[in-house]
Amino acid sequence: MEVYVLRLGHRVKRDKRISTHVALTARALGAKGIYFDTYDDSVFKSVKDVVERWGGDFFIESVEWKKFLGSFDGLKVHLTMYGIPLIEKIDEIKKAKKVLVVVGAEKVPPEVYEMCDLNIAIGNQPHSEVAALAIFLDRILNKTFDLEFKNAKIKIIPSERGKKVVEI
Ligand code: SAM
């Protein structure tokens, strides 16, 4: 299954750090790429810099979100605390070949609830887009601990204590 992420509502002044974390979480847990509704040079540069050093072919792009969401040719899943619990729909989602996961920053436009095929909750309590995305990707792809990042320049050697990083 291929999973892509659409990040809505990024505010250049307020959301740099959390939007970067959304993108890095998407990459680290197996999504193919992330689309933003707003171009932010510093966020895009730092994500591309991670890909350059840590490998893989994860992409980050900006799109006109309504047009993009309307024409996406796969299952569109909006993550929202108001939605249906993931465990009730997980089998249906796992059957899809291509999934777009939509996460918000502030309140998402109401039409997102209509345009998406599923509105899915990761628990019905308010928390964070980073947490919601991480749990979603882990449950759907189940490869958090089994991912390869090709053409990496650096890599971690897991160790009980301290930090071991090698250049490849
Ligand atoms: N107050 C906003 C609202 O009414 O939609 C919530 C903003 S929340 C900080 C940012 C994003 O985190 C949401 O758009 C949603 O994608 C995600 N999120 C937060 N809690 C969630 C939950 N329990 N389940 C699924 N997604 C959640």
Side-chain angles (χ1 to χ4, degrees):
M1 180 201 288
E2 291 179 0
V3 180
Y4 301 85
V5 178
L6 173 62
R7 166 66 159 163
L8 292 180
H10 169 76
R11 294 157 293 186
V12 173
K13 282 201 177 135
R14 291 183 51 175
D15 293 328
K16 285 188 193 303
R17 190 173 147 84
I18 190 154
S19 290
T20 304
H21 288 182
V22 169
L24 295 183
T25 299
R27 173 185 171 272
L29 275 65
K32 297 272 177 205
I34 188 163
Y35 300 92
F36 273 61
D37 61 352
T38 312
Y39 178 74
D40 184 327
D41 199 46
S42 66
V43 172
F44 279 44
K45 272 192 183 138
S46 53
V47 172
K48 284 178 183 174
D49 182 55
V50 168
V51 175
E52 174 70 21
R53 288 185 299 131
W54 293 88
D57 48 11
F58 185 82
F59 66 81
I60 179 163
E61 269 177 31
S62 59
V63 289
E64 201 282 278
W65 75 266
K66 222 186 260 188
K67 215 161 119 190
F68 175 75
L69 187 57
S71 63
F72 183 79
D73 60 342
L75 188 72
K76 298 174 252 189
V77 180
H78 171 220
L79 296 184
T80 165
M81 65 179 175
Y82 304 104
I84 303 298
L86 177 63
I87 43 167
E88 287 183 27
K89 296 285 181 181
I90 194 159
D91 294 341
E92 182 181 338
I93 298 171
K94 278 185 168 177
K95 283 184 195 142
K97 287 208 169 80
K98 206 170 157 189
V99 172
L100 180 69
V101 196
V102 183
V103 291
E106 48 180 355
K107 208 169 160 188
V108 300
E111 58 262 57
V112 173
Y113 290 81
E114 303 303 324
M115 291 177 79
C116 287
D117 302 300
L118 297 169
N119 291 292
I120 293 296
I122 309 293
N124 293 110
Q125 299 293 317
H127 50 84
S128 139
E129 49 272 50
V130 177
L133 180 63
I135 290 174
F136 180 85
L137 289 174
D138 187 57
R139 293 284 177 107
I140 296 296
L141 292 173
N142 194 25
K143 55 184 182 185
T144 304
F145 300 101
D146 189 23
L147 280 165
E148 238 192 279
F149 292 88
K150 292 206 172 97
N151 303 320
K153 292 188 176 139
I154 51 175
K155 146 176 161 179
I156 289 170
I157 308 295
S159 54
E160 298 277 0
R161 304 263 187 286
K163 304 174 187 175
K164 277 191 197 143
V165 182
V166 289
E167 285 184 26
I168 305 162

